[in-house]
């Protein structure tokens, strides 16, 4: 066992003395040491229940003959971090989580791991760490929040942000906003729609690293505790069979994840996280392939914010496995791949029928014949931009309008709420990319303001930043190259005509090559907004959004 290097032999007597200080018995040290990575904290609603999940995992590990030992991972609540400098620290925690988990796991030579994440960057950060460490690993998340109810209608966090926009437009009273405030987030758990956290927890199932229900069993259901116990037991089986993350997270597994992503209509942030996780697993996952997969993958789900159904509904309908079973009817998945169940995907999804054709559309009656996410290219996004097509009103799939240019999120919000954005406009928010932000902030506030003010079917927004999974509307993010490195988005001027064509996957602005060259000759890099601390180091190492915003040492071979 790997842990023998800290447990066995005369040279390890000092190590054993420290295990004695922990109160571990001889019998416990004779068993495999299983690290339980706990993301519990008291600031993230999706993590406040993880102490109970961790205790259940520990019991499962112990029942199956292992010695569970807990250590922590951090997590940021994107909702609380939204709209201020805190959002600069959201995406960047993904790498802190991966680095610190790698450090703890290898420093202490654990034989296996159970990862207990839940929210946005926490899930991909731990998947990245699992790929690096490559010891038998199972994921079990904390589960989604139940939907709130306001006047008989299901509601969620995106409804709350849009309510603020409606208030600014004079369409809601302060008392009505307060009712939303008190009702839209009624339980612990990751926010109740198909936002980034739930997207990544569902894709953890699709990629083969989580047990059935990992992405959909609500946080408050006792079934979630049972799932955690089974995860603890299952990791011991994986250890016995020596099944490791890189045996599971293969190129075909990532293609499966992209396919399920398209069917579910996941957050556009999956286009950042899947390439980053693949990078750690030694797989080159170019986001350009997303359109090829989308072209043959029907969109089967319209979960909030794209539609009126929520994670609890997806769970009742059969969950991720039922979606995968529908996809398999047209041979859209690689089903011979190994998973953490110890079985193949084909074995896992057998008999997992769709129990609600309104929540999960049958494969022959989809919402659309193409997937929920599109990658756009053109002279405004030479490398790529990403849009959640399933959350865009059909009348906005093709849109042309004048650019309204802002060099930060705050200026754009002021203009939107100040009534300065008109029907037909294309709001451009730049210098918010991985380097320019730094940290590639989410733009839920401006997108929600647009929707709340009734402009969602007439105003588009593009940015080199990114969007919350709670955003909806004609929102194109991850525009690469970003403004901070001289990408063409930095050369857009007020009034330039911008054309978004989602069916043809294009994003252009009507400027001649000669004019572009003249503007480029005048462009000067901006002084960094932040020059000290972690964000400064991150800015120096981060790559572009189309590469997953992975970190590289300057000069490192790409």
């Amino acid at each position: 066992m790997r842990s023998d290097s800290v447990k066995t032999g005369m040279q390890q007597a000092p190590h054993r003395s420290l295990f004695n200080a922990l109160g571990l018995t001889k019998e416990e040290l004779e068993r495999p040491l299983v690290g339980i990575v706990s993301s519990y904290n008291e600031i993230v609603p999706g993590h406040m229940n993880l102490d109970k999940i961790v205790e259940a995992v520990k019991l499962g590990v112990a029942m199956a003959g292992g010695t569970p030992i807990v250590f922590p991972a951090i997590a940021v609540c994107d909702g609380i971090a939204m709209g201020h400098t805190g959002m600069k620290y959201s995406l960047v925690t993904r790498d802190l989580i991966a680095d610190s988990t790698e450090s703890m796991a290898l420093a202490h030579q654990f034989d296996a791991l159970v990862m207990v994440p839940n929210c946005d960057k926490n899930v991909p950060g731990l998947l990245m760490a699992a790929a690096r460490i490559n010891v038998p690993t199972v994921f079990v998340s904390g589960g989604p929040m139940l939907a709130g109810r306001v006047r008989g209608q299901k509601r969620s966090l995106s409804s709350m942000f849009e309510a603020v926009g409606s208030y600014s437009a004079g369409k809601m009273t302060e008392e009505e906003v307060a009712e939303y405030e008190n009702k839209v987030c009624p339980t612990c758990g990751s926010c109740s729609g198909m936002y980034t956290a739930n997207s990544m927890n569902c894709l953890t199932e699709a990629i083969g690293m989580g047990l059935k229900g990992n992405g959909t069993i609500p946080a408050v259901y006792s079934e979630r505790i049972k799932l955690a116990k089974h995860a603890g037991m299952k990791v011991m089986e994986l250890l016995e069979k020596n099944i490791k993350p890189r045996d599971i997270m293969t190129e075909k597994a990532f293609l499966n994840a992209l396919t399920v992503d398209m069917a579910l209509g996941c957050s556009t942030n999956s286009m950042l996280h899947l390439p980053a996780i693949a990078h750690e697993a030694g797989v080159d996952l170019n986001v350009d392939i997303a359109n090829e997969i989308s072209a043959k993958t029907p969109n089967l789900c319209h979960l909030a914010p794209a539609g009126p159904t929520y994670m609890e509904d997806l769970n009742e309908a059969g969950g991720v496995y039922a979606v995968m079973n529908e996809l398999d009817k047209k041979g859209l998945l690689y089903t011979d791949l190994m998973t953490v169940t110890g079985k193949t995907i084909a074995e896992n999804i057998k008999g997992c029928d769709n129990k609600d054709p309104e929540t999960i559309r049958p494969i022959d009656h989809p919402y659309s014949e193409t997937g929920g996410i599109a990658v756009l290219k053109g002279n405004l996004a030479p490398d790529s931009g990403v849009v959640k097509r399933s959350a865009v009103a059909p009348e906005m799939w093709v849109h042309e309008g004048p650019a309204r240019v802002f060099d930060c999120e705050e200026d754009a919000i002021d203009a939107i709420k100040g009534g300065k954005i008109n029907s037909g406009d294309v709001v451009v928010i730049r210098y918010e990319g991985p380097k320019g932000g730094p940290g590639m902030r989410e733009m839920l506030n401006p997108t929600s303001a647009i929707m709340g003010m009734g402009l969602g079917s007439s105003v588009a927004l593009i940015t080199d930043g990114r969007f919350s999974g709670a955003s909806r509307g004609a929102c194109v993010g991850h525009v690469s190259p970003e403004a901070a490195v001289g990408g063409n988005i930095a050369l857009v001027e007020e009034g330039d005509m911008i054309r978004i064509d989602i069916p043809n996957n294009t994003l252009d602005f009507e400027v001649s090559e000669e004019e572009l060259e003249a503007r480029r000759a005048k462009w000067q890099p901006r002084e960094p907004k932040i020059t000290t601390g972690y964000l400064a180091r991150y800015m120096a190492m981060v790559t572009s959004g189309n590469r997953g915003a992975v970190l590289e040492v300057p000069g490192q071979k790409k």
Side-chain angles (χ1 to χ4, degrees):
M1 291 187 293
R2 178 189 290 252
S3 62
D4 285 345
S5 60
V6 294
K7 296 188 309 186
T8 304
M10 182 55 66
Q11 289 296 323
Q12 280 64 45
H15 304 70
R16 289 194 296 274
S17 72
L18 293 167
F19 284 121
N20 287 335
L22 291 170
L24 293 180
T25 65
K26 181 175 180 293
E27 291 80 4
E28 286 175 301
L29 290 178
E30 288 172 350
R31 297 177 174 186
L33 300 185
V34 180
I36 316 297
V37 186
S38 170
S39 304
Y40 169 76
N41 65 45
E42 295 182 342
I43 188 63
V44 184
H47 290 233
M48 63 181 286
N49 64 319
L50 295 190
D51 55 341
K52 296 176 178 62
I53 303 296
V54 167
E55 288 303 314
V57 171
K58 288 173 66 178
L59 185 56
V61 169
M63 285 192 294
T67 298
I69 301 175
V70 179
F71 64 89
I74 65 168
V76 162
C77 177
D78 277 24
I80 296 173
M82 195 71 65
H84 55 88
T85 192
M87 182 46 67
K88 295 179 184 291
Y89 285 90
S90 172
L91 178 61
V92 306
T93 64
R94 187 184 69 181
D95 295 275
L96 281 176
I97 291 162
D99 292 349
S100 60
T101 303
E102 172 195 0
S103 300
M104 288 293 288
L106 296 181
H108 301 103
Q109 293 291 286
F110 288 105
D111 297 299
L113 297 166
V114 180
M115 306 289 197
V116 187
N118 210 25
C119 288
D120 295 32
K121 313 312 163 304
N122 186 243
V123 182
L126 290 180
L127 282 165
M128 291 163 67
R132 287 185 200 172
I133 300 160
N134 203 35
V135 297
T137 303
V138 175
F139 276 67
V140 55
S141 77
M145 185 184 292
L146 294 179
R149 289 184 181 272
V150 181
R151 302 185 183 185
Q153 299 293 317
K154 286 186 177 180
R155 292 289 184 258
S156 63
L157 185 65
S158 56
S159 310
M160 183 71 253
F161 276 89
E162 290 179 18
V164 175
S166 294
Y167 174 78
S168 298
K171 297 181 178 181
M172 287 183 74
T173 66
E174 188 173 346
E175 291 74 18
E176 287 172 325
V177 174
E179 184 177 8
Y180 271 69
E181 182 179 332
N182 288 309
K183 292 182 177 179
V184 297
C185 296
T187 74
C188 62
S190 47
C191 297
S192 56
M194 187 53 81
Y195 310 151
T196 305
N198 293 326
S199 295
M200 294 311 301
N201 283 322
C202 286
L203 295 181
T204 298
E205 279 189 65
I207 210 168
M209 290 297 294
L211 302 180
K212 180 184 178 183
N214 178 71
T216 59
I217 298 171
V220 295
Y221 283 14
S222 297
E223 189 69 24
R224 175 66 54 179
I225 299 296
K226 293 162 68 175
L227 179 72
K229 292 175 183 175
H230 283 130
M233 290 185 273
K234 186 59 67 174
V235 79
M236 298 305 295
E237 180 183 325
L238 295 183
L239 181 58
E240 182 181 350
K241 294 179 178 179
N242 197 31
I243 298 174
K244 300 175 182 177
R246 290 197 180 200
D247 300 324
I248 295 168
M249 290 195 281
T250 62
E251 181 178 4
K252 288 181 178 178
F254 284 104
L255 296 179
N256 278 350
L258 277 173
T259 301
V260 175
D261 190 338
M262 296 299 171
L264 285 172
C266 289
S267 163
T268 52
N269 281 316
S270 63
M271 293 294 103
L272 280 175
H273 299 323
L274 287 175
I277 299 161
H279 176 76
E280 298 294 349
V283 174
D284 183 13
L285 187 68
N286 191 320
V287 295
D288 289 354
I289 200 171
N291 287 339
E292 180 183 330
I293 291 175
S294 178
K296 60 184 180 182
T297 305
N299 177 223
L300 305 182
C301 299
H302 267 191
L303 295 143
T309 52
Y310 293 80
M311 295 306 296
E312 62 201 61
D313 302 310
L314 179 59
N315 187 63
E316 294 302 316
V320 175
Y321 279 14
V323 174
M324 294 175 76
N325 200 15
E326 288 289 344
L327 293 170
D328 190 45
K329 292 176 182 177
K330 285 196 174 180
L332 295 174
L333 297 174
Y334 297 99
T335 58
D336 59 343
L337 308 182
M338 181 52 60
T339 71
V340 292
T341 65
K343 300 177 181 179
T344 65
I345 288 171
E347 292 173 299
N348 288 344
I349 67 176
K350 184 178 180 181
C352 294
D353 296 326
N354 181 359
K355 300 174 184 177
D356 181 359
E358 291 304 312
T359 299
I360 304 172
R361 287 281 185 91
I363 194 74
D364 55 0
H365 181 55
Y367 281 101
S368 67
E369 293 293 339
T370 53
I373 290 178
V375 174
L376 312 184
K377 286 192 174 185
N379 68 350
L380 189 44
D383 289 341
S384 67
V386 180
V387 62
K388 188 172 182 175
R389 172 168 38 198
S390 60
V392 180
E395 59 267 30
M396 290 294 289
W397 286 358
V398 177
H399 179 76
E400 186 168 352
R404 304 298 307 279
V405 183
F406 304 94
D407 288 350
C408 67
E409 177 190 8
E410 289 82 358
D411 290 350
I413 292 171
D414 288 344
I416 295 166
K417 291 186 175 179
K420 298 178 182 178
I421 301 301
N422 303 309
S423 177
D425 286 349
V426 180
V427 176
V428 177
I429 305 178
R430 61 191 181 190
Y431 294 100
E432 290 284 8
K435 285 184 181 293
M440 203 178 188
R441 288 195 290 179
E442 289 183 342
M443 302 294 158
L444 180 56
N445 274 343
T447 60
S448 298
I450 287 170
M451 298 303 297
M453 297 187 75
L455 296 171
S457 60
S458 62
V459 169
L461 189 153
I462 68 170
T463 180
D464 52 8
R466 59 195 179 92
F467 298 110
S468 165
S471 289
R472 63 189 177 107
C475 312
V476 183
H478 310 190
V479 170
S480 301
E482 63 174 292
V485 298
N488 284 356
I489 190 172
L491 308 180
V492 178
E493 295 183 358
E494 188 82 6
D496 285 346
M497 293 301 294
I498 294 177
R499 181 175 175 81
I500 301 168
D501 188 338
I502 295 174
N504 288 308
N505 303 314
T506 59
L507 177 61
D508 294 286
F509 65 133
E510 296 178 6
V511 176
S512 68
E513 280 300 317
E514 293 78 14
E515 174 63 19
L516 267 183
E517 287 305 315
R519 292 183 188 182
R520 188 171 290 113
K522 297 177 183 176
W523 179 81
Q524 293 292 326
R526 299 196 166 202
E527 289 296 318
K529 297 177 184 177
I530 293 174
T531 57
T532 60
Y534 177 53
L535 287 180
R537 297 196 302 275
Y538 181 87
M539 184 169 51
M541 299 173 67
V542 70
T543 60
S544 66
N546 70 303
R547 296 187 56 209
V550 298
L551 301 187
E552 287 181 343
V553 175
Q556 178 179 335
K557 185 178 180 181
K558 298 179 181 179

